[in-house]
Amino acid sequence: MSRSPVKAVIPAAGLGTRFLPATKALPKEMMPVVDKPAIQYVVEEAVDAGIDDILVIIGRNKNAISNHFDSVPELEVKLMEKGDERRLERVMASSDLADIHFVRQGEPKGLGHAVLRARAHVGDSSFAVLLGDDLIDERDVLLTTMIEAHERTGAAVIALMEVDPDSIHLYGAAVAEPTDEDQIVRVTGLVEKPAREEAPSNLAVIGRYVLPASVFDILERTEPGKGGEIQLTDALQELAADAAGPGVLGVVFGGRRYDTGDRVDYIKAIVQLATDRDDLGSELRPWLKEFAAGL
Ligand code: G1P
């Protein structure tokens, strides 16, 4: 068994009901964040952490996702003829990023079920899971720290972030103890989407995981949990409770995370990322100030 994750899994089979009707024919992972689909940020994050074999778990409307990562020779020729090198570079970058594979989930039975669909592709190696609703700013390091912690210890490593107690019902919540290392905690318990009054903490699981292949055996026997779905959180709770194994560690992230799964947060993510960009920020910032002053 290899401890170094060489593959990443991106579950992208959700129905995107919060964005209907935009997601009627378009997978939510293809919604643009400024000028790139959300899923491209996530693929780039995996590549930046040294992973270039990526398995996307897809549902319906898979074509838009696979087409996006294919090259489009006629578009490239057009841009070349026009001498539009900047756009040509951006178009080509999305098809040269990584080795991208697809598998279908079939039925939407939950995140744990989606991850289990990766078993044949991942085999005996450790692997990373990246959820497309959470975007991590490329200027902040998270996945690399998680991979290093996993390589050192063999533990499953999850990303955690402190959230407002009023929002904890939207996340997996962790019970955690400090370790000798700054930023890294030992996770002793996990609950999927607890009510505020039942939450063990306000430490929320955000969508990054580095997992040992042994999680597949656990997922095979994990019963449907919250919402009648097979929950990854429940399988991780079993790993956390196994005193004989390396357990679960959490990396507490204090950097910039954008939630594109919720409509208001999605709009905030676009504004934040666009104002920071060299090519758009200088025009957008003064307009935003003026706009906000008039509110
Ligand atoms: C999933 C997980 C949850 C986690 C969240 C992070 O929930 O089940 O534990 O906190 O992602 O975004 P979802 O948001 O897919 O319902």
Side-chain angles (χ1 to χ4, degrees), residues 148-164:
E148 284 165 5
H150 172 72
E151 284 172 344
R152 265 196 323 270
T153 61
V157 184
I158 61 178
L160 298 170
M161 204 163 181
E162 283 186 36
V163 298
D164 186 317

Side-chain angles (χ1 to χ4, degrees), residues 16-26:
T17 41
R18 279 187 275 183
F19 284 89
L20 281 169
T23 48
K24 210 174 148 195
L26 186 79

Side-chain angles (χ1 to χ4, degrees), residues 18 28 111-112 131 133-134 159 168 170-173 191-193 204-209 229 231-233 257 259:
R18 279 187 275 183
K28 69 169 173 176
L111 180 58
L131 305 188
D133 283 350
D134 293 298
I168 195 71
L170 300 170
Y171 300 93
V191 192
E192 179 67 3
K193 303 199 174 94
V205 178
I206 55 169
R208 298 294 179 271
Y209 309 79
E229 297 188 334
Q231 298 292 353
L232 182 58
T233 303
R257 162 187 174 259
D259 178 357

